[in-house]
Amino acid sequence: MEKESNTNVTSTSYLLGSVPAVIPEEKSTTTNHDVPYANMQTFPPNNGGNRGQGYQTIGSPTEAFEQQPANNWQGVFSVSSYTQYFNVDTDAVVNRLLSSLNPVGADFFSKIDANPDLYGLIWISTTLVFVLALLGNLATYLMQKHADNSTSWSFDVSYVNTAAWSIYGYVIVVPMAYYFFLQYMGSNASLIRFWCMWAYSLTIFIMSSFLLLIPVGILRWIIIILTGVASASFVALNLRSFIGNDLSVAIIAAFFLQIALAIFIKVWFFA
């Protein structure tokens, strides 16, 4: 009897109106399409592929928009591309100024490799322009008074213009010429580092300009020649450490360009 009752219960479970047994759900074979997450920061949503980030909020621009590389033409004309080259502290500037006074160090590029600056290109050049214009006039006054006390003297404003185009032109054009020449020759070149090195090489001319106030002609020539040789050695030896000995003609030319600058300063401002 007991077996028959169990059999009846089992057989009646499939009748209409009966409650079916609980069957575990099988995994659906249909593909679930994930809806991409969307909010106001990434709208429209990026549903795969290289379609960009979508619209950005005004307060959070993309990183690519914030930092435009200087090697892009758009970055060349952007002020933000050059702010990193003025991010130097006083200790670093003083260390580089002292290094530029060592004509045989040949380690300047290793000191600025991590963070080359354009501080010298702007401030050292500008300082030298005004020093040459001011001390050049003062030296002319002292020489005239040394020769004849009765000679009248007036400030020559043209010294400022001459100092500006000669110093700015030299410190900008010469490194650029070397950069394009070395690029053409397939050698190592860095325009920012060249600008930095050539600008700091002018530091010694600022100091020697005060010594050129001495109203003795032969002594002035000795001072300017020593200054030119020291600055030329600094440029040539550091340039050789940077590009190697393959282009010795370029290194020798850099040496004599510094000598020519020294002679120009002596002849024009401290004649």
Side-chain angles (χ1 to χ4, degrees):
M1 288 295 293
E2 193 171 343
K3 288 182 179 181
E4 291 179 359
S5 62
N6 290 337
T7 304
N8 293 333
V9 172
T10 303
S11 61
T12 57
S13 62
Y14 295 100
L15 296 177
L16 292 175
S18 62
V19 179
V22 178
I23 302 174
E25 295 180 359
E26 295 181 357
K27 293 183 179 180
S28 177
T29 57
T30 59
T31 304
N32 292 327
H33 297 281
D34 295 332
V35 179
Y37 176 75
N39 57 19
M40 290 303 293
Q41 290 186 347
T42 56
F43 183 83
N46 187 3
N47 192 19
N50 189 12
R51 301 179 185 176
Q53 276 189 301
Y55 299 128
Q56 301 293 322
T57 58
I58 298 177
S60 61
T62 60
E63 184 178 357
F65 182 78
E66 289 177 349
Q67 298 179 354
Q68 296 175 350
N71 56 2
N72 191 326
W73 281 114
Q74 187 177 4
V76 169
F77 299 102
S78 176
V79 177
S80 61
S81 300
Y82 299 96
T83 54
Q84 58 177 322
Y85 300 118
F86 293 91
N87 187 21
V88 289
D89 55 13
T90 304
D91 293 336
V93 172
V94 171
N95 186 26
R96 295 172 185 185
L97 289 172
L98 294 176
S99 298
S100 66
L101 300 178
N102 183 10
V104 295
D107 59 348
F108 187 78
F109 283 113
S110 63
K111 293 182 178 180
I112 68 171
D113 187 59
N115 184 25
D117 69 271
L118 295 179
Y119 175 88
L121 186 67
I122 303 299
W123 297 113
I124 296 178
S125 302
T126 303
T127 302
L128 182 59
V129 167
F130 285 101
V131 165
L132 290 178
L134 178 62
L135 298 185
N137 275 279
L138 183 57
T140 304
Y141 169 78
L142 293 176
M143 288 294 289
Q144 290 182 359
K145 287 299 181 181
H146 181 74
D148 187 4
N149 291 329
S150 62
T151 303
S152 61
W153 176 85
S154 60
F155 188 87
D156 192 352
V157 184
S158 65
Y159 276 29
V160 178
N161 296 329
T162 304
W165 68 257
S166 60
I167 299 303
Y168 288 133
Y170 180 85
V171 81
I172 293 175
V173 173
V174 171
M176 287 184 64
Y178 266 83
Y179 170 75
F180 288 116
F181 172 74
L182 294 176
Q183 285 280 2
Y184 175 77
M185 299 299 295
S187 181
N188 190 18
S190 173
L191 181 58
I192 298 297
R193 286 170 175 80
F194 285 175
W195 271 338
C196 183
M197 188 264 294
W198 254 282
Y200 276 95
S201 71
L202 303 179
T203 304
I204 194 170
F205 288 103
I206 298 175
M207 302 176 65
S208 65
S209 296
F210 291 92
L211 297 177
L212 292 174
L213 289 175
I214 301 174
V216 180
I218 187 64
L219 188 57
R220 285 181 173 181
W221 275 110
I222 294 174
I223 293 172
I224 199 64
I225 289 175
L226 292 176
T227 302
V229 170
S231 179
S233 300
F234 169 78
V235 171
L237 293 177
N238 281 285
L239 189 62
R240 185 181 67 177
S241 68
F242 189 77
I243 66 175
N245 296 321
D246 296 334
L247 298 172
S248 57
V249 176
I251 298 172
I252 296 173
F255 181 89
F256 284 103
L257 281 173
Q258 290 292 112
I259 297 293
L261 176 65
I263 295 175
F264 172 80
I265 290 174
K266 168 64 179 69
V267 170
W268 190 268
F269 298 99
F270 301 96

